[in-house]
Amino acid sequence: MRSNNPLQLTLAILKPHVIKNPFALQKIRQLILDNDFKVVRSRRTKITFSEASYFYQDHKDKFFYNRLVTFMSSGPSDIHILARDNAIVRWRELMGPTKVYQAQYLAPESIRGKFGLSDTRNATHGSDSPDSAKREIKVFFNDFNIDEWFDNEEIYFKHEQLKFDQDLFLHIIDKSLKPLPS
Ligand code: CDP
Ligand code: MG
């Protein structure tokens, strides 16, 4: 499905318990692709305690902050910049509700409904607004220039002039495929 709407970027994180479970990882990756997200950047990294603390700073007064930051820095995560029309809302819909019992009850087919283990280990992260997407992309992809991507690369993603690299889990621009519409 291709739409004429502009693309939007969001930051997605597949949290540490997903990376430890190849079945869950594969299913979530398939859901990303089946739901028309393009994978603009991918990296696997063990988020440090201080990165997680900074990333989740808005939650620093919540009762779950310490367990969240401890969990997020407990093992490798896969971090992606995803592109789609309305990517922020669509990715959050695909993830489902934050809390695992709500996810299982209200959205059993969602990622969190299927692969969430607890309110903290709820499988995935997604930015909740354009401003937070911008901030969060900067945290984990410091050299990624959002404005330059929209100026130079968005058009190839929009027209699907892309090849997909399974191993890198990444869409790569392929200008040889077909000319862009003028
Ligand atoms: O991730 P989302 O935007 O849906 O929820 P949030 O309210 O921004 O919370 C951030 C993260 O904190 C969640 O994804 C959970 O991992 C964690 N959390 C938790 O551990 N316990 C809660 N009661 C609520 C959230
Ligand atoms: Mg949030």
Side-chain angles (χ1 to χ4, degrees):
M1 186 197 71
R2 196 192 291 168
S3 108
N4 282 325
N5 297 327
L7 297 183
Q8 189 179 50
L9 300 176
T10 193
L11 187 89
I13 303 178
L14 280 43
K15 298 187 180 185
H17 68 97
V18 169
I19 307 311
K20 294 195 180 90
N21 177 345
F23 175 79
L25 177 61
Q26 174 52 32
K27 289 287 176 195
I28 294 170
R29 285 181 162 191
Q30 200 54 52
L31 282 167
I32 290 172
L33 300 176
D34 289 349
N35 283 273
D36 295 319
F37 289 95
K38 300 291 183 270
V39 188
V40 172
R41 289 288 185 281
S42 279
R43 65 182 279 229
R44 176 166 296 183
T45 188
K46 187 168 166 175
I47 296 171
T48 66
F49 190 87
S50 70
E51 282 171 333
S53 307
Y54 177 68
F55 185 75
Y56 282 116
Q57 63 188 6
D58 288 353
H59 295 301
K60 68 177 186 312
D61 298 325
K62 306 264 175 64
F63 74 92
F64 57 79
Y65 181 66
N66 186 53
R67 84 178 179 201
L68 171 62
V69 170
T70 302
F71 166 61
M72 290 302 289
S73 54
S74 67
S77 295
D78 280 356
I79 314 180
H80 305 297
I81 300 176
L82 302 180
R84 227 206 92 140
D85 63 297
N86 212 7
I88 292 171
V89 165
R90 291 279 172 259
W91 175 241
R92 287 189 68 89
E93 277 175 5
L94 186 59
M95 292 200 303
T98 304
K99 294 192 171 183
V100 68
Y101 283 114
Q102 283 188 20
Q104 288 169 353
Y105 186 69
L106 299 172
E109 295 304 311
S110 68
I111 289 173
R112 287 166 163 177
K114 283 179 171 162
F115 303 111
L117 300 178
S118 67
D119 289 349
T120 300
R121 293 172 299 162
N122 59 355
T124 50
H125 167 85
S127 310
D128 65 5
S129 68
D131 282 349
S132 64
K134 213 168 169 179
R135 183 185 86 84
E136 293 175 0
I137 287 169
K138 202 93 218 122
V139 173
F140 290 117
F141 296 92
N142 187 241
D143 58 353
F144 183 82
N145 186 317
I146 294 177
D147 293 335
E148 276 179 18
W149 186 84
F150 275 99
D151 285 346
N152 304 323
E153 298 190 23
E154 184 210 14
I155 190 158
Y156 297 103
F157 281 79
K158 208 166 152 51
H159 294 284
E160 302 193 3
Q161 290 215 35
L162 303 168
K163 59 187 176 204
F164 184 67
D165 187 316
Q166 286 286 356
D167 296 330
L168 298 175
F169 195 66
L170 191 65
H171 283 97
I172 296 164
I173 291 173
D174 185 349
K175 297 182 183 175
S176 72
L177 280 179
K178 57 186 178 209
L180 287 174
S182 47

